[in-house]
Amino acid sequence: MEMNSRVEIDEDTDNKGSMWDLDQKLDQPMDEEAGRLRNMYKEKKSSALLLLRLAFQSLGVVYGDLGTSPLYVFYNTFPGKIEDPEDVVGALSLIIYSLTLVPLLKYVFIVCKANDNGQGGTFALYSLLCRHANIKTIPNQHRTDEELTTYSRSTFHEKSFAAKTKRWLERHVSRKNALLILVLVGTCMVIGDGILTPAISVLSAAGGIKVNRPHMSNGVVVVVAAVILVGLFSMQHYGTDKVSWLFAPIVLIWFLVIGGIGIFNIWKYDSSVLKAFSPIYIYRYFRRGGKDGWTSLGGIMLSITGTEALFADLSHFPVSAVQLAFTAVVFPCLLLAYSGQAAYLMSNRDHVVDAFYRSIPDSIYWPVFVIATAAAIVASQATITATFSIIKQALALGCFPRVKVVHTSKKFLGQIYVPDINWILMILCIAVTAGFKQQSQIGNAYGTAVVIVMLVTTLLMTLIMLLVWRCHWILVLLFTGLSLVVECTYFSAVLFKVDQGGWVPLVIAAAFLLIMYVWHYGTLRRYEFEMHSKVSMAWILGLGPSLGLVRVPGIGLVYTELASGVPHIFSHFITNLPAIHSVVVFVCVKYLPVYTVPEDERFLVKRIGPKSFHMFRCVARYGYKDLHKKDDDFERKLFDSLFLFVRLESMMEGCSDSDEYSLYGQQTEQSRDGLLNNNGNTICSFIDTTISSVDSIVPARSPMHTSVTVRSSGQVSSQTEIDELEFLNSCRDAGVVHIMGNTVVRARRDSRFYKKIAIDYIYAFLRKICREHSVIFNVPHESLLNVGQVFYV
């Protein structure tokens, strides 16, 4: 092929020259191939700039907690006097290899790749596992849920190790419960992090006042820290979207400052600390220190705190941006900061209590103090946001009492605010700060929470590597073995400090674990009761077209947790009230183990009984990141889906589907391809199948399809369809009533005492103080009808 001009890129030239030459040649007249090369160059250049911008932004959201660890690590490692300078080198060597093995190798390059479409945290890992194995404890999933575009999963070879692991997990309910408890333990420890991170970060930053003003009492520092914490939690309802643009510059300046101070201290005091990069000093440290050296690992471990928050806050950044930010900025600056502090301590062993602030040159002390305080606030903000997100995930999966969730950003789905949890965190955080008053005891508590979360993540990652990634069992064994060796070593060290503050996260986690597991247990028992007591279709058919009642104008939306069958609340309602609305729609709002459900795939619509009954079921599906919209918006989309169902059902006249057949799939696409001919008329060609229309199902697509008029040979398809649509519209205009069950759950008389305590007292108390379904669903009070009933489980 001849070309008028040609672009040649010499790979042997240096980068600067080749880029300049390329720019010059791209300005010349070019043919189609040269234009394509130019576009490729521009796309590659823009993608590189975008990656750099995202890496910069990730600093403020992801790495704030990990970056503030230099404020308190050496003090918690050596709470007393440093006896031997070699101990400083040994501790530095432990910090270097801890940062390398855990945040760098394990989390940044392995665990971050196990995200659920960008979502991180223990519940995201659990959701991935729920999609690849039948381990969800509440069995409310339907076959059509697996057809969602966000419901990514893969199949197993029957004889593979992954298939054997899957069958082993699914075989016994006890194993499913054990996995759920493991996830809940990790979640509760993350909540503990949300309490301890602001406490230790802000208290450590505020401690800089006392270093420059030695006469100041410790109580003043605690008061200053408490005031900062109150301001921090009071600002949460504004969300981070409006001020998040400040976070990245603050954290970047913080990393550059501590890295620069580290270089200055290494040059000024003792450059011999760089020999700590040799692991031989770790062996010497333990041989010389004995038990005290082993227990000091609890302080060393604080150098990797914030690593789990790194994974939980992954939502809005690609993994490549997080990896670039860590390897280019975070990791080298942290190594320099710790090495600089170690160099300072080699010459000033008595200053270990305030090693960070005392190592700062006097000329820049107060600017660094301001930056440190701002960085501590950013670190606390990141942990609080991660706590809100994980509470939202637990709520969606039925593992937390119903609380109010507010989206604070229109641009970012993951930025939420949970008012009830916010004030609980604030009270507990101030109580920890005022109760301990010292960084060392809070550090002991912090280390206990962090190491337990890491152990939970390791165990979940083992299953992810087997079931999702299909890794060879040798690679899985290698990853699990190395992770457990490191983390169990730290865990054994923090056990020695349980009585020195380490009990705090255990108590907090135990309280939240009790709440979450009892709520889940009660929810599961109530669901099982509704499944066993649901009304049979034969009973419904026996009532006749009028259901044996007076049919009053309007539409009744009966809310239920069942995705199939007629709920017990309906029979209870019509037994006590001799009237029901002309149209009855059973509405089931359920959450799936996916991060989001696209709007056009949200609703499943079914018909219950013959057309003359005018009874439907609508299943609204949400992901754990989705938020139930306002009632008027929800109603509009529900009715759009219902009207669309009637139109599509009319197309499929004589070929209605049962629960085992879905119009959302290959057969539907083939049918739709043959619906319209060139003249705009419809040629209906359907599979000749005779299936009962008792409970048909159609996943409703986008409302844009509701304007389709079905024609056959130029005529209106069905007068019945028009009549039913007019009937539905008239009933909608007559009024919509939301019918909800106000249930009281009680344990049966023959139940064991612990079940009675869990159901009759703890679960009943939680249901009493949590928000009602009508509030969560934004149902207007003037159109709400509660139906009371008692469940004995």
Side-chain angles (χ1 to χ4, degrees):
M1 182 177 71
E2 296 183 359
M3 301 191 309
N4 296 327
S5 64
R6 182 175 57 190
V7 176
E8 295 180 354
I9 303 176
D10 187 3
E11 295 182 354
D12 295 331
T13 59
D14 61 358
N15 290 335
K16 183 176 180 181
S18 62
M19 289 296 181
W20 186 86
D21 291 339
L22 182 61
D23 282 331
Q24 293 297 315
K25 293 174 183 178
L26 287 176
D27 289 333
Q28 302 172 5
M30 297 181 298
D31 63 359
E32 184 178 349
E33 185 172 346
R36 182 177 59 83
L37 286 175
R38 179 172 187 172
N39 290 334
M40 288 176 58
Y41 164 66
K42 286 185 176 181
E43 289 177 3
K44 188 175 292 186
K45 187 176 181 180
S46 63
S47 62
L49 292 175
L50 177 62
L51 181 63
L52 287 174
R53 184 169 65 85
L54 291 173
F56 168 70
Q57 291 176 344
S58 70
L59 289 172
V61 176
V62 176
Y63 293 113
D65 190 8
L66 187 65
T68 54
S69 296
L71 287 169
Y72 44 78
V73 168
F74 275 107
Y75 171 56
N76 285 273
T77 304
F78 303 107
K81 184 180 178 181
I82 300 174
E83 299 294 339
D84 192 336
E86 288 295 314
D87 289 342
V88 178
V89 180
L92 177 60
S93 185
L94 280 167
I95 292 172
I96 291 171
Y97 284 97
S98 296
L99 285 170
T100 303
L101 292 175
V102 180
L104 180 65
L105 296 181
K106 178 187 174 183
Y107 276 87
V108 172
F109 286 103
I110 298 178
V111 175
C112 283
K113 292 184 178 180
N115 60 84
D116 182 15
N117 290 279
Q119 309 299 319
T122 51
F123 265 108
L125 296 179
Y126 183 64
S127 298
L128 273 176
L129 292 173
C130 286
R131 296 207 297 270
H132 288 79
N134 185 22
I135 57 175
K136 193 177 178 183
T137 52
I138 299 180
N140 64 345
Q141 286 187 230
H142 190 272
R143 179 183 58 83
T144 53
D145 296 336
E146 300 177 9
E147 298 173 359
L148 290 169
T149 54
T150 53
Y151 200 101
S152 57
R153 61 176 301 177
S154 52
T155 56
F156 303 103
H157 190 276
E158 285 297 321
K159 295 183 180 180
S160 65
F161 192 73
K164 294 177 182 178
T165 306
K166 177 176 178 289
R167 288 193 293 269
W168 180 82
L169 274 176
E170 296 174 346
R171 192 170 296 132
H172 297 289
V173 178
S174 59
R175 292 169 188 168
K176 298 180 184 179
N177 289 330
L179 183 61
L180 177 65
I181 291 174
L182 181 69
V183 173
L184 293 181
V185 168
T187 303
C188 294
M189 288 299 171
V190 172
I191 296 173
D193 283 352
I195 297 169
L196 296 172
T197 298
I200 191 170
S201 299
V202 174
L203 185 61
S204 300
I209 302 175
K210 190 177 178 181
V211 173
N212 203 267
R213 299 286 189 272
H215 61 279
M216 188 175 292
S217 66
N218 194 50
V220 175
V221 176
V222 173
V223 170
V224 171
V227 170
I228 295 174
L229 290 172
V230 170
L232 174 64
F233 283 99
S234 299
M235 297 293 289
Q236 291 300 313
H237 68 281
Y238 291 109
T240 58
D241 187 34
K242 297 178 181 178
V243 293
S244 58
W245 59 274
L246 278 174
F247 290 175
I250 289 172
V251 177
L252 178 61
I253 293 172
W254 167 253
F255 278 119
L256 295 178
V257 165
I258 62 175
I261 293 174
I263 294 174
F264 173 78
N265 287 332
I266 293 171
W267 169 76
K268 180 178 180 180
Y269 293 104
D270 194 343
S271 61
S272 65
V273 294
L274 297 179
K275 62 185 178 183
F277 282 87
S278 172
I280 191 65
Y281 289 94
I282 297 177
Y283 168 73
R284 295 180 181 177
Y285 179 78
F286 287 131
R287 187 184 64 179
R288 185 172 53 254
K291 181 182 177 181
D292 292 338
W294 190 265
T295 56
S296 69
L297 285 174
I300 298 290
M301 214 209 70
L302 295 179
S303 63
I304 55 176
T305 56
T307 306
E308 190 61 34
L310 176 157
F311 181 47
D313 283 324
L314 195 62
S315 305
H316 307 301
F317 304 101
V319 175
S320 56
V322 173
Q323 291 172 339
L324 178 62
F326 188 83
T327 53
V329 178
V330 179
F331 187 63
C333 288
L334 285 177
L335 293 184
L336 290 172
Y338 287 118
S339 300
Q341 285 190 49
Y344 176 81
L345 290 174
M346 292 286 283
S347 304
N348 303 274
R349 284 181 286 167
D350 296 335
H351 293 173
V352 68
V353 175
D354 303 301
F356 173 78
Y357 280 112
R358 290 187 180 275
S359 65
I360 299 174
D362 294 336
S363 58
I364 60 170
Y365 182 85
W366 287 113
V368 174
F369 170 77
V370 173
I371 296 171
T373 305
I377 293 173
V378 172
S380 304
Q381 177 64 54
T383 312
I384 295 168
T385 303
T387 305
F388 290 160
S389 297
I390 208 162
I391 289 289
K392 173 68 169 65
Q393 294 178 24
L395 175 66
L397 296 176
C399 296
F400 202 84
R402 296 183 298 271
V403 292
K404 183 179 181 180
V405 177
V406 180
H407 275 221
T408 59
S409 173
K410 294 181 179 180
K411 294 185 292 184
F412 301 111
L413 188 65
Q415 291 190 7
I416 59 174
Y417 168 63
V418 185
D420 303 328
I421 300 300
N422 181 67
W423 303 123
I424 292 174
L425 290 180
M426 186 190 76
I427 293 171
L428 292 176
C429 187
I430 293 176
V432 168
T433 305
F436 286 126
K437 299 180 182 179
Q438 293 182 354
Q439 301 173 23
S440 59
Q441 291 182 319
I442 301 178
N444 295 337
Y446 196 15
T448 305
V450 170
V451 73
I452 292 176
V453 176
M454 290 181 177
L455 285 170
V456 170
T457 302
T458 297
L459 298 177
L460 292 176
M461 278 299 301
T462 302
L463 294 175
I464 292 289
M465 295 177 76
L466 288 171
L467 298 179
V468 182
W469 291 353
R470 315 285 185 80
C471 296
H472 196 278
W473 66 270
I474 295 179
L475 291 176
V476 178
L477 187 63
L478 185 64
F479 170 82
T480 307
L482 288 176
S483 297
L484 289 179
V485 165
V486 174
E487 289 157 9
C488 288
T489 301
Y490 281 126
F491 185 64
S492 65
V494 299
L495 286 178
F496 289 102
K497 298 187 176 182
V498 170
D499 60 339
Q500 302 173 28
W503 57 270
V504 172
L506 300 179
V507 171
I508 294 172
F512 276 98
L513 180 62
L514 179 66
I515 291 171
M516 296 172 77
Y517 188 76
V518 168
W519 182 264
H520 179 77
Y521 177 78
T523 303
L524 176 61
R525 289 291 174 263
R526 191 177 65 182
Y527 182 83
E528 290 175 347
F529 179 87
E530 291 199 20
M531 282 292 294
H532 290 115
S533 62
K534 64 183 180 181
V535 181
S536 66
M537 188 55 62
W539 183 80
I540 293 291
L541 294 173
L543 295 176
S546 66
L547 302 180
L549 301 168
V550 177
R551 302 297 293 268
V552 297
I555 296 180
L557 301 181
V558 182
Y559 287 80
T560 173
E561 295 183 6
L562 298 181
S564 62
V566 178
H568 180 263
I569 183 180
F570 180 71
S571 64
H572 184 71
F573 178 80
I574 64 176
T575 301
N576 291 275
L577 191 67
I580 192 66
H581 297 87
S582 300
V583 177
V584 177
V585 182
F586 297 101
V587 181
C588 171
V589 178
K590 71 174 183 178
Y591 287 85
L592 301 178
V594 295
Y595 75 104
T596 186
V597 175
E599 285 286 345
D600 61 343
E601 300 177 41
R602 175 146 296 161
F603 293 95
L604 286 173
V605 180
K606 310 176 185 180
R607 184 185 292 278
I608 299 178
K611 286 187 176 181
S612 58
F613 281 22
H614 300 299
M615 294 176 63
F616 303 89
R617 174 178 296 107
C618 180
V619 180
R621 303 174 294 182
Y622 291 86
Y624 55 78
K625 284 288 184 182
D626 292 328
L627 182 68
H628 186 83
K629 302 297 182 183
K630 292 295 183 182
D631 180 68
D632 51 355
D633 188 51
F634 178 78
E635 267 191 32
R636 179 181 58 79
K637 292 180 179 179
L638 187 150
F639 288 125
D640 284 344
S641 302
L642 183 61
F643 295 155
L644 174 60
F645 169 81
V646 173
R647 289 187 173 92
L648 291 178
E649 188 185 44
S650 179
M651 296 182 194
M652 302 287 285
E653 193 68 42
C655 187
S656 296
D657 307 314
S658 71
D659 238 6
E660 299 304 317
Y661 181 82
S662 171
L663 290 182
Y664 175 53
Q666 184 178 1
Q667 298 181 27
T668 302
E669 297 302 323
Q670 293 172 351
S671 301
R672 285 181 180 175
D673 289 342
L675 283 178
L676 298 175
N677 62 11
N678 293 333
N679 296 326
N681 297 328
T682 301
I683 302 175
C684 297
S685 57
F686 300 110
I687 303 171
D688 186 14
T689 310
T690 305
I691 303 176
S692 172
S693 63
V694 166
D695 201 356
S696 57
I697 177 172
V698 173
R701 304 300 291 170
S702 173
M704 72 178 69
H705 299 289
T706 58
S707 61
V708 175
T709 302
V710 183
R711 299 178 180 273
S712 178
S713 302
Q715 300 298 321
V716 176
S717 63
S718 172
Q719 185 64 34
T720 306
E721 173 204 344
I722 297 177
D723 291 343
E724 186 167 19
L725 288 175
E726 290 178 352
F727 178 74
L728 290 174
N729 271 316
S730 63
C731 290
R732 182 182 181 181
D733 295 337
V736 179
V737 176
H738 301 259
I739 304 171
M740 291 187 170
N742 188 11
T743 57
V744 177
V745 183
R746 297 289 184 188
R748 292 193 298 266
R749 291 184 178 180
D750 57 345
S751 301
R752 297 187 178 182
F753 75 94
Y754 56 82
K755 182 178 179 180
K756 291 182 177 179
I757 294 174
I759 297 295
D760 293 346
Y761 296 97
I762 302 177
Y763 183 72
F765 175 74
L766 292 175
R767 277 181 60 87
K768 186 177 181 180
I769 64 173
C770 76
R771 291 177 176 265
E772 297 290 340
H773 270 300
S774 58
V775 178
I776 298 296
F777 294 153
N778 300 293
V779 175
H781 290 286
E782 58 272 14
S783 60
L784 174 64
L785 180 61
N786 276 319
V787 180
Q789 54 184 339
V790 180
F791 287 171
Y792 288 96
V793 299

